[in-house]
Amino acid sequence: MEKFEELKLKAKAEIEKIASMKTINDVKAKFIGKNGEITALLRGMKDIPAEMRAAFGKRVNDLKEEVSAFFAKKETELKAAESADKFKKEAVDITLPAKTLQVGGLHPLNIVKNKIIDAFTGMGFEIFEGPEIDTDYYCFQALNIPKDHPARDMQDTFYINDNVLLRPHTSPGQVRTMENKKPPIKILSPGRVYRADDDASHSPMFHQIEGLVVDKGVSLCDLKGLLDEFVKIIFDKDTKTRFRPSYFPFTEPSVEVDVTCCKCGGKGCNLCKGTGWIEILGAGVVNKKVLEMSGIDSNVYSGLAFGLGIERITMIKYGISDIRTLFENNVAFLQQFNRR
């Protein structure tokens, strides 16, 4: 009986010292586990006289239940203390300003691309996106640029084999449309294009949008009116356009299109190099050979085409001096375009 009382007091004392739920199982094992001190008492039953074994076994079980009750009480106290501590640590001061989450936004190239598409779709253009990997025929030959033509030098791109290449412009989409759709045609073809260029104003991969209109009586005057309206939407209502003669194999006549500088309004500054004008795109009346190769009667229909680089428009619009800035994923730079 003295042994029972001694074990009970010993267990109670150790249980009271337990400071966390992490150590309670170790103390449990010491007293009421499989090899615990109280459990070991039962292994001494063989040394107890037969007539006393029942009473002895009952006393061991009673002791085990008493000690188990001590553990249960301690567990309740520890859980309550841990919960209170957790609530204290996780308490929120509702008077503090709320934490704001960073919100993503569109890349400046996508902002400008969407504005360009909105401008032209508002004038009745449909969108056509062709493949980025195309054949030599659609990229050059169908656009009146046969093999060994010198015009290929400035547009040569990355070849997969002699006949398949990464498109240098989105013009193949215009040819595919003319082959599969009868006039009137009014399409806009946006997408990635590839050329062997890499410096502050050129990238081996960039984004282009080309437009095509084919109908009866289409002329250079229609192109001028169309682009006048476009630049007013993209820049501002006071922006003016200027046509300069140029050469492209797929248009005749061909023009380079300039706009009054969006920074100085045409007075002359560092952006426009003092001229008051900035070149933004190339355009012209579709060459009759291109119409005929696509199965369109050039005696009945005429067309106009234009092509512009989205990076160039973005750089002019936002005063960006190096095209590579648009591809560096500098978060501080990109956040400027998505201010609320």
Side-chain angles (χ1 to χ4, degrees):
M1 295 300 292
E2 290 177 2
K3 179 70 172 177
F4 290 151
E5 191 63 25
E6 182 183 330
L7 269 176
K8 177 181 174 181
L9 294 175
K10 181 181 178 182
K12 186 176 182 181
E14 291 201 28
I15 291 170
E16 288 176 352
K17 292 178 183 177
I18 296 173
S20 70
M21 292 293 293
K22 293 180 180 179
T23 58
I24 199 166
N25 287 331
D26 293 336
V27 181
K28 263 187 180 180
K30 180 179 178 180
F31 289 101
I32 59 175
K34 185 177 180 181
N35 297 312
E37 294 183 33
I38 295 175
T39 309
L41 292 173
L42 295 173
R43 289 198 286 272
M45 289 278 284
K46 63 181 184 300
D47 300 322
I48 304 297
E51 65 275 11
M52 296 178 64
R53 286 178 185 170
F56 180 82
K58 183 177 183 306
R59 186 67 189 94
V60 173
N61 288 331
D62 289 343
L63 176 60
K64 190 173 183 179
E65 287 180 7
E66 289 179 81
V67 173
S68 295
F70 294 153
F71 278 114
K73 182 182 177 183
K74 191 63 178 180
E75 284 181 5
T76 302
E77 292 173 358
L78 290 173
K79 287 179 180 178
E82 287 184 2
S83 293
D85 186 56
K86 183 178 180 183
F87 291 146
K88 185 177 180 180
K89 289 179 180 177
E90 296 179 356
V92 177
D93 186 349
I94 61 174
T95 64
L96 292 175
K99 291 182 180 179
T100 56
L101 296 176
Q102 285 192 332
V103 179
L106 291 177
H107 191 281
L109 289 177
N110 283 328
I111 293 173
V112 172
K113 182 185 80 169
N114 291 342
K115 286 183 178 179
I116 294 172
I117 290 174
D118 287 345
F120 283 112
T121 53
M123 299 182 216
F125 280 75
E126 297 178 279
I127 304 298
F128 176 86
E129 297 186 14
E132 291 183 26
I133 301 175
D134 217 325
T135 63
D136 184 273
Y137 173 79
Y138 283 108
C139 289
F140 294 116
Q141 295 175 49
L143 294 167
N144 195 34
I145 311 176
K147 289 184 180 295
D148 302 321
H149 193 287
R152 288 196 179 205
D153 291 345
M154 63 179 180
Q155 294 188 348
D156 249 0
T157 182
F158 305 99
Y159 284 81
I160 295 170
N161 57 42
D162 289 342
N163 189 49
V164 180
L165 63 153
L166 300 181
R167 64 183 181 187
H169 39 217
T170 55
S171 301
Q174 299 179 14
V175 177
R176 291 177 184 277
T177 301
M178 288 190 288
E179 286 181 343
N180 294 285
K181 185 176 181 179
K182 294 181 179 180
I185 295 170
K186 203 172 186 182
I187 65 147
L188 198 67
S189 183
R192 283 188 290 263
V193 297
Y194 306 84
R195 294 185 189 177
D197 285 324
D198 187 17
D199 55 42
S201 58
H202 299 86
S203 170
M205 184 284 295
F206 61 101
H207 300 80
Q208 194 176 57
I209 289 185
E210 296 192 23
L212 172 72
V213 178
V214 179
D215 205 346
K216 295 177 181 178
V218 173
S219 70
L220 205 61
C221 293
D222 297 303
L223 178 63
K224 184 73 163 65
L226 183 74
L227 295 180
D228 278 344
E229 182 63 22
F230 162 67
V231 299
K232 285 176 170 57
I233 295 171
I234 293 299
F235 297 107
D236 62 60
K237 60 183 179 61
D238 297 320
T239 305
K240 297 179 176 60
T241 59
R242 178 180 74 175
F243 281 12
R244 290 181 289 107
S246 187
Y247 169 76
F248 301 113
F250 32 83
T251 53
E252 180 60 39
S254 302
V255 295
E256 296 282 359
V257 181
D258 301 334
V259 296
T260 48
C261 179
C262 58
K263 183 177 180 180
C264 66
K267 297 177 182 178
C269 66
N270 61 330
L271 181 62
C272 60
K273 299 178 182 178
T275 65
W277 296 92
I278 298 177
E279 178 192 332
I280 63 165
L281 59 89
V285 174
V286 179
N287 193 304
K288 288 188 175 184
K289 289 184 179 180
V290 174
L291 293 176
E292 294 291 347
M293 281 190 285
S294 298
I296 294 175
D297 190 343
S298 61
N299 295 316
V300 178
Y301 296 101
S302 57
L304 58 86
F306 56 88
L308 55 95
I310 300 176
E311 281 81 358
R312 180 160 182 78
I313 300 295
T314 304
M315 292 170 71
I316 294 169
K317 186 174 177 65
Y318 296 117
I320 299 168
S321 59
D322 193 324
I323 192 173
R324 289 167 290 200
T325 308
L326 295 168
F327 302 107
E328 290 174 349
N329 291 326
N330 184 319
V331 175
F333 168 75
L334 296 175
Q335 284 176 336
Q336 299 176 73
F337 303 91
N338 294 285
R339 292 174 177 170
R340 296 293 186 266

